Amino acid sequence: MGRRVILVVWASVGWWALGPRAALGQYDPPAGYYNSATGTGLTLKNNLHDIIHNHVVRSYDAARYSLQLLDRDPNDPSRIILIYTGASVPGTWDAGATWDREHQWPRSLGVGTSGPDNSDEFQLRPCNPSVNGSRSNSPYGIGAGYWDPLAVALPGVNDRGDCSRAMFYMAVRYDGSDANTVDLELVNGYPGSNQMGDLARMLEWHYSDPVNDIERRRNHLVWSSQDNPQYYQGNRNPFIDRPEFVWAIWGTAPNNSKVYLGTTEPPDGTSTESVTFRVIKDSALPSQVVPLHKMGDHPTTYDVTVAGEATATEAGTGLAFVGGVQDRDIPVGIVSTATAGQYSGVVTVDNTDLTSAGTGQGSADGNDIISVAAEVLDHSEASFNAWSNEDVLIIDFGTVAAGSGVQIQIFSLFNLESTPEFTAALDFDSISGSGDTATLYTDLVVFSGLAAGSDRTFVASFDTQVAAGAYQAVYTLGVSDEDVPGAQSGTSLVLTLRGEVAASALFPFDANGDGHIDLFDYTRFEGCMTGPDGGLVVSPCDNHDFDTDGDVDLEDHAAFQRAFTG
């Protein structure tokens, strides 16, 4: 009774409740279910009692079968999950050999042997018989004389929060105002008659082991006449649906928590952050971590909701911080990269506590907003043509007179716009050539960032200062998307340059094809002379065997002198 007095005092100094929040999941209560759950302290406790007390009472015997549905193993419908240990066992009732019915609020601590509190499905759970015996009638807590659900749990199993919320429910549902019920109370420390403890420890557990979907599903099945027509009770556990009710009733003081984003703690608790992405279509979903900070000594619950095309892996209701200063990461992203275009959305963090110790704390803590925007880009498309995708270009210089200088032709490299306004820029990564690259060449160089719909112009050259003949060079151009997540290499482009040098009228005397037989040509000729029977030197010296006797000698020299013009 003392706790009730304290709660009334807190209510009088300014604790207040927020209105109902929008439903987010398949196991949420029906709209309006908690509309009358107003106020804090004893007022809220009584209002919740009025909502949940008038339920369908099932028999204790019926629990042998209802628990097979309520605690079904999600991985095997023929098995059930046991309280405390988390073990999966065959669900068929075998007279308590494999599992029995555990009263989480023991009969010896106030629950009757008949009546609704004895068979309430929110407190009855399947349990290993020996574990049930070990627990006996110990209250929940840590230390000698208490029962800690985590002490016998399998790895990864934690029923501390589930057990605490079941006790919060029992203390609200059974307040002595209904026929055949007693007034069940939660107290700090070791409990007395009609009491359960340790309240301080259960408050901790409520926040350190927050509500999960398995617990929400069970809550839904106890309530739903549609999904559990044989054994439904038709009421809900408010502390699963609205975990913020816990502190509003049993909290030790008005809540002083503050949740915010960024590096600077805002006075009113309102904060904003922006996250932007630039990715290629069909790439892995982008993600960026946004730090979330919690200040204040008190624990709190919070919701993370998403709108638009944003995502948050931590999205959900009834998330929780334990007391003290903490940091937590919220990875945010976008829903899809399947289609090029602009994506945007909002992630909202809402401190859901119903009480406040001051400006920017608890229920007065402003919402925190993460704005998420993304550009999803189509792949770049390299082409030699501005209007269609052409990966091959042949530039033919035709037949050019020897010595007519360097011939040039202009060509362009385009980045076609696959999706208007949302096509990646083009990177030109490599160029490799083969063939007559010293005669047929280009000023192509690697570059990056050619915007979609743009082009760059280059020059192809043909140097005719070579011996007569046909020439060809092939260049392979490596391209890719701009350097953002999801970038891929594109189809290589192939540039072929070819041309033919016609023989000079003075050939073979005009070695360099400049139209004159001069000292330059003499130097080339002299370097090719081998003397009688010396044999020919490799091309182009074979052109200087004017008398075709198999060597370049004085007879060939005399022929050259006769043609010399200067």
Side-chain angles (χ1 to χ4, degrees), residues 129-151:
S130 64
V131 172
N132 195 351
S134 296
R135 190 247 169 141
S136 186
N137 61 355
S138 299
Y140 289 124
I142 296 177
Y146 291 98
W147 179 255
D148 179 5
L150 202 58

Side-chain angles (χ1 to χ4, degrees), residues 187-252:
V187 296
N188 288 312
Y190 206 85
S193 178
N194 301 339
Q195 294 179 338
M196 171 62 77
D198 174 15
L199 174 59
R201 193 65 70 181
M202 286 188 283
L203 284 173
E204 287 181 23
W205 291 351
H206 171 63
Y207 293 98
S208 64
D209 175 30
V211 179
N212 60 29
D213 278 345
I214 293 177
E215 198 174 354
R216 291 186 181 97
R217 174 189 174 275
R218 191 179 196 280
N219 185 33
H220 169 79
L221 289 174
V222 173
W223 166 78
S224 176
S225 60
Q226 179 177 350
D227 295 329
N228 182 16
Q230 286 184 284
Y231 302 109
Y232 77 95
Q233 283 190 178
N235 68 341
R236 305 179 69 90
N237 183 335
F239 308 104
I240 296 174
D241 290 331
R242 297 283 297 272
E244 64 270 24
F245 286 153
V246 170
W247 192 265
I249 297 174
W250 291 285
T252 57

Side-chain angles (χ1 to χ4, degrees), residues 11-100:
S12 69
V13 296
W15 286 31
W16 61 88
L18 300 176
R21 301 192 311 280
L24 296 176
Q26 61 178 319
Y27 303 133
D28 283 343
Y33 189 82
Y34 292 110
N35 278 356
S36 60
T38 58
T40 56
L42 183 59
T43 298
L44 176 59
K45 184 173 183 284
N46 290 338
N47 287 337
L48 289 174
H49 170 84
D50 291 341
I51 293 171
I52 68 174
H53 80 109
N54 190 24
H55 62 77
V56 177
V57 177
R58 302 295 178 180
S59 70
Y60 181 64
D61 285 344
R64 296 176 296 174
Y65 308 104
S66 64
L67 296 182
Q68 296 179 44
L69 172 65
L70 300 178
D71 295 285
R72 177 177 293 168
D73 185 338
N75 298 314
D76 186 343
S78 71
R79 303 174 73 86
I80 59 173
I81 302 297
L82 302 184
I83 190 70
Y84 308 139
T85 63
S88 175
V89 301
T92 303
W93 177 252
D94 57 4
T98 301
W99 59 273
D100 59 13

